[in-house]
């Protein structure tokens, strides 16, 4: 295995024998040009400029072109592709770090979560808060009643939308069906290069399994590029990958230091140097189906040119470990089997999952890659793709993951996800008229109910519990002076109806996967949502205090083998 790691200059590339060598960088070009053409001007030697080339370009043509471009003689040295890439990473690490962190914010600042609130949002939010405070002072009871009723109706609206979409999804099976015969009909000699990006951070305990899980991918190994993206400070994980004796087509890429230190920033580093026509993201604990890449390739071949992404389904190999993992599995089953199908059937924006997203590399770069300042970068990318008319499809392949076994770990994970939904809602709410113009009123409404409605639904869970208990426990003489009885019962009805609907939807989850033993666990969904509500308030607080902080989810906690 070759690590794409900065080393000292004399050993970062082979010397030109018999010549004094000046290892200072010469004739830098863009990262993309170096990677696409497979060369890098490595050093000055007595005979001119030493250019390392992987041999992908005709040597005579490359030498003549670079001699004319540089205005001085060029000495070509053919080396392994990994050596060329290593030298590119060494010489252009500053450019890579800048591209990964700031490219989207620089080229399309309105779509970047680097700025939490735009000027207009700051002014509008301050004015709304001032009006709310004045109303509380002048008419506290009426204001509290109206605010509670609005929150309650928003809670129900978000759930009703999910119910409608899921019912649509139940009538359609839009997962791209790729059969074994379709895969066997492929001519492997014509398959393109496929890049697999695996961002890891403090995952030394599970990267051995990661290497074994990716070794079984069914794709010609001379056209398979697996880049394990390791943060520069994470020496333990890097060494653990190397100790796992991975195959030569799997390489460690050291992500240059910088901020924000997030998964999407690491993925952008990988995207900048990726050679594949297609690129997929896997997490460290993922176990994709061995034939997943081929199924996706067939799906892209059948899809239109406007399909930017093919999403594989996610499920959990430790579903039966405890109550939390069972609820996790129920939630994902309903999401991938019903929600995604319904969104696709009605051509509505689809927020992507955080892993097993397969992209056309060219279109992904056109979109600006991932937003490193958005902590739910997958959902944001799905919405940005929808805004320019690109589509997402789903393939009949599954990636097994590790469901959270620990409640504190679950709350950390969900607080980041919900904070990312809030970020995405704020970003796309900066230009409401432009959003409606780009994707239409119907799709903009769906975006609002799904991306903004999901955090509001979770935020409304705890107040809903308090109001419901107060309505049934406290005498009306206590509550009536503050909350009119009709308002209280409206809130209670919304709350109970919403929770009953989500229990029903959760029960639908295991139907297509024949996991009927999990259906009874759906009755615990209100308790599961209490955890979501706690996570939502934590995410809201972090949005105010630490908007770009990446709450780390620990993996490798399961006892399931």
């Amino acid at each position: 295995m070759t690590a794409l790691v900065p080393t000292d200059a004399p050993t970062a590339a082979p010397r030109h024998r018999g010549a004094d060598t000046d290892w200072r960088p010469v004739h830098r070009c863009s990262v993309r040009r170096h990677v696409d053409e497979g060369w890098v001007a490595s050093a000055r030697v007595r005979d001119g400029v030493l250019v390392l080339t992987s041999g992908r370009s005709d040597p005579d043509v490359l030498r003549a072109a670079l001699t004319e471009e540089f205005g001085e003689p060029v000495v070509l040295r053919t080396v392994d592709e990994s050596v060329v890439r290593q030298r590119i990473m060494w010489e252009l690490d500053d450019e890579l770090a800048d591209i990964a962190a700031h490219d989207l914010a620089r080229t399309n600042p309105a779509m970047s979560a680097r700025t939490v609130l735009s000027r207009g949002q700051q002014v509008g939010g301050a004015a709304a808060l001032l009006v709310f405070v004045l109303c509380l002072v002048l008419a506290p009871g009426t204001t509290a009643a109206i605010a509670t009723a609005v929150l309650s109706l928003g809670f129900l609206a978000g759930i009703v939308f999910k119910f409608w979409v899921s019912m649509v999804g139940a009538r359609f099976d839009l997962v791209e069906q790729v059969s074994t015969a379709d895969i066997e009909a492929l001519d492997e000699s014509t398959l393109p290069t496929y890049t697999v990006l695996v961002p890891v951070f403090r995952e030394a305990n599970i990267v051995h399994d990661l290497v074994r899980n990716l070794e079984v991918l069914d794709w010609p190994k001379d056209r398979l590029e697996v880049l394990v993206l390791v943060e520069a400070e994470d020496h333990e994980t890097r060494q653990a990958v190397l100790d796992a004796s991975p195959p030569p087509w799997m390489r460690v890429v050291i992500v240059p230091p910088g901020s924000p230190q997030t998964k999407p920033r690491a993925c952008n580093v990988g995207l900048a140097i990726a050679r594949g026509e297609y690129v997929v993201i896997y997490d460290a604990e993922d176990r994709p189906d061995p034939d997943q890449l081929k199924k996706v390739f067939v799906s892209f071949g059948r899809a239109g040119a406007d399909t930017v992404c093919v999403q594989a389904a996610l499920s959990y190999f430790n579903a039966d470990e405890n109550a939390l993992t069972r609820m996790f599995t129920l939630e994902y089953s309903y999401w991938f089997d019903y929600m995604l199908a319904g969104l696709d059937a009605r051509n509505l924006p689809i927020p992507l999952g955080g892993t097993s997203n397969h992209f056309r590399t060219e279109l992904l770069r056109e979109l600006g890659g991932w937003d490193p300042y958005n902590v739910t970068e997958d959902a944001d990318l799905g919405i940005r793709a929808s805004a320019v008319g690109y589509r997402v499809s789903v393939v009949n392949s599954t990636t097994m993951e590790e469901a959270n076994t620990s409640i504190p770990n679950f709350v950390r994970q969900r607080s980041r996800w919900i904070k990312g939904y809030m970020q995405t809602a704020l970003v796309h709410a900066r230009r409401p008229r432009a959003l409606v113009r780009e994707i239409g009123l119907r799709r903009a409404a769906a975006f609002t109910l799904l991306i903004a409605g999901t955090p509001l639904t979770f935020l409304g869970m705890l107040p809903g519990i308090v109001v419901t208990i107060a309505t049934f426990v406290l005498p009306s003489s206590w509550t009536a002076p503050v909350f009119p009885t009709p308002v209280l019962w409206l809130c209670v009805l919304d709350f109970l109806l919403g929770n009953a609907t989500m229990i029903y939807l959760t029960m639908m989850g295991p139907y297509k996967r024949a996991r009927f033993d999990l259906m009874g666990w759906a009755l615990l969904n209100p308790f599961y949502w209490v955890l979501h509500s706690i996570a939502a308030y934590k995410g809201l607080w972090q949005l105010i205090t630490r908007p770009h902080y990446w709450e780390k989810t620990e993996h490798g906690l399961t006892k399931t083998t």
Side-chain angles (χ1 to χ4, degrees):
M1 174 174 186
T2 303
L4 301 183
V5 191
T7 57
D8 61 291
T11 58
R15 287 182 178 275
H16 183 62
R17 295 179 181 176
D20 296 328
T21 307
D22 180 358
W23 291 96
R24 287 175 296 179
V26 292
H27 295 296
R28 287 185 174 184
C29 299
S30 69
V31 171
R32 281 267 26 100
R33 181 181 174 190
H34 281 310
V35 172
D36 289 343
E37 298 179 5
W39 64 270
V40 60
S42 180
R44 291 190 183 280
V45 294
R46 183 181 305 163
D47 302 328
V49 177
L50 174 62
V51 173
L52 304 180
T53 174
S54 63
R56 284 192 282 114
S57 301
D58 181 273
D60 294 331
V61 174
L62 181 62
R63 183 185 295 106
L66 294 183
T67 298
E68 181 178 355
E69 181 176 340
F70 296 166
E72 54 186 314
V74 167
V75 178
L76 292 186
R77 183 73 175 273
T78 300
V79 295
D80 186 78
E81 178 78 42
S82 63
V83 176
V84 174
R85 203 80 62 82
Q86 181 182 13
R87 192 68 196 179
I88 294 171
M89 293 287 296
W90 166 251
E91 292 191 356
L92 301 178
D93 60 334
D94 290 340
E95 181 186 338
L96 270 172
D98 180 69
I99 290 173
H102 307 304
D103 201 42
L104 180 64
R106 185 165 46 235
T107 59
N108 195 358
M111 289 292 101
S112 171
R114 183 176 184 177
T115 300
V116 179
L117 294 172
S118 66
R119 181 73 60 85
Q121 288 172 326
Q122 292 175 0
V123 173
L129 182 61
L130 178 61
V131 170
F132 181 71
V133 171
L134 287 175
C135 290
L136 276 178
V137 172
L138 299 175
T142 302
T143 302
I146 293 175
T148 303
V150 169
L151 187 61
S152 175
L153 291 172
F155 176 86
L156 184 61
I159 293 176
V160 168
F161 173 74
K162 288 183 172 67
F163 178 78
W164 172 72
V165 172
S166 297
M167 291 302 101
V168 172
R171 294 161 43 208
F172 295 93
D173 188 5
L174 297 181
V175 173
E176 182 69 42
Q177 295 297 332
V178 181
S179 67
T180 303
D182 294 327
I183 294 176
E184 292 174 348
L186 290 173
D187 180 359
E188 291 206 352
S189 65
T190 64
L191 295 179
T193 300
Y194 216 118
T195 297
V196 177
L197 302 181
V198 189
V200 293
F201 184 51
R202 297 175 184 167
E203 310 276 15
N205 59 323
I206 59 173
V207 292
H208 181 276
D209 292 337
L210 162 70
V211 173
R212 303 287 85 83
N213 293 336
L214 296 184
E215 278 182 334
V216 301
L217 288 175
D218 182 16
W219 195 264
K221 297 306 185 282
D222 60 328
R223 277 154 284 161
L224 181 61
E225 175 186 59
V226 176
L227 303 180
V228 183
L229 307 168
V230 183
E231 296 291 336
E233 69 190 64
D234 193 3
H235 306 294
E236 185 180 3
T237 300
R238 173 195 163 197
Q239 189 58 48
V241 177
L242 298 174
D243 290 343
S245 301
W249 40 266
M250 188 179 296
R251 299 189 176 104
V252 169
V253 174
I254 301 302
V255 178
S259 66
Q261 192 176 60
T262 58
K263 173 183 172 181
R265 176 179 173 272
C267 287
N268 282 338
V269 170
L271 180 63
I273 64 170
R275 292 194 299 112
E277 184 177 334
Y278 301 98
V279 61
V280 60
I281 307 297
Y282 289 131
D283 287 338
E285 79 279 15
D286 284 356
R287 302 179 184 177
D289 286 343
D291 61 358
Q292 187 172 115
L293 302 189
K294 288 186 175 179
K295 282 189 173 182
V296 170
F297 178 72
V298 173
S299 295
F300 272 122
R302 294 174 177 174
D306 61 344
T307 297
V308 64
C309 176
V310 173
Q311 169 79 64
L314 303 179
S315 192
Y316 297 103
F317 57 78
N318 61 329
D320 297 321
E321 187 162 350
N322 57 34
L324 184 61
T325 61
R326 289 181 173 91
M327 295 306 300
F328 228 107
T329 304
L330 285 170
E331 178 188 19
Y332 264 52
S333 297
Y334 122 76
W335 175 261
F336 282 97
D337 292 344
Y338 297 97
M339 277 294 293
L340 289 189
L343 292 171
D344 194 20
R346 291 293 176 258
N347 193 24
L348 300 176
I350 296 179
L352 301 174
T355 180
S356 302
N357 301 315
H358 300 253
F359 297 94
R360 297 184 196 269
T361 307
E362 182 181 354
L363 297 185
L364 179 57
R365 287 179 177 141
E366 180 185 308
L367 287 171
W370 295 271
D371 183 358
Y373 290 93
N374 192 313
V375 296
T376 311
E377 78 294 338
D378 42 9
D380 167 71
L381 183 57
I383 302 304
R384 277 193 283 128
S386 177
V388 297
Y390 288 142
R391 293 182 61 86
V392 175
S393 65
V394 184
V395 70
N396 59 318
S397 181
T398 300
T399 296
M400 304 302 291
E401 288 197 311
E402 175 192 348
N404 248 315
T405 61
S406 159
I407 288 178
N409 201 41
F410 173 85
V411 171
R412 285 196 298 271
Q413 182 189 62
R414 290 305 165 104
S415 66
R416 173 172 60 80
W417 290 4
I418 295 169
K419 179 174 71 172
Y421 266 54
M422 295 176 186
Q423 287 179 308
T424 303
L426 289 172
V427 165
H428 293 276
R430 295 171 185 169
R431 307 159 51 247
R433 285 181 293 183
L435 182 65
V436 172
R437 185 172 61 251
E438 290 167 354
I439 67 176
L441 182 60
R442 182 178 63 90
R443 301 176 79 203
F447 159 79
T448 303
L449 287 168
L450 185 60
I451 302 301
T454 295
L456 289 175
T457 300
F458 292 144
L459 290 171
M461 186 67 183
L462 288 180
I465 292 175
V466 171
V467 170
T468 300
I469 292 175
T471 302
F472 284 106
V473 174
L474 299 179
S476 59
S477 59
W478 290 21
T479 59
V482 179
F483 293 99
T485 300
V487 173
L488 272 182
W489 282 105
L490 172 66
C491 295
V492 170
L493 179 63
D494 287 351
F495 182 74
L496 295 178
L497 181 59
N499 275 280
T501 302
M502 284 310 304
I503 289 174
Y504 177 75
L505 288 179
T506 307
M507 281 185 171
M508 289 171 54
Y511 181 77
K512 288 186 178 181
R513 303 185 185 215
R515 286 299 311 268
F516 305 113
D517 57 301
L518 294 177
M519 294 182 70
W521 291 90
L523 296 172
L524 295 181
N525 195 73
F527 300 98
Y528 188 56
W529 272 36
V530 168
L531 298 179
H532 280 82
S533 192
I534 295 170
Y537 282 98
K538 180 181 179 181
L540 178 61
W541 176 248
Q542 284 193 354
L543 182 67
I544 298 170
T545 59
R546 307 174 73 185
H548 305 127
Y549 171 65
W550 187 275
E551 189 87 57
K552 170 67 177 168
T553 303
E554 297 296 330
H555 298 119
L557 303 180
T558 181
K559 297 177 181 178
T560 301
T561 57

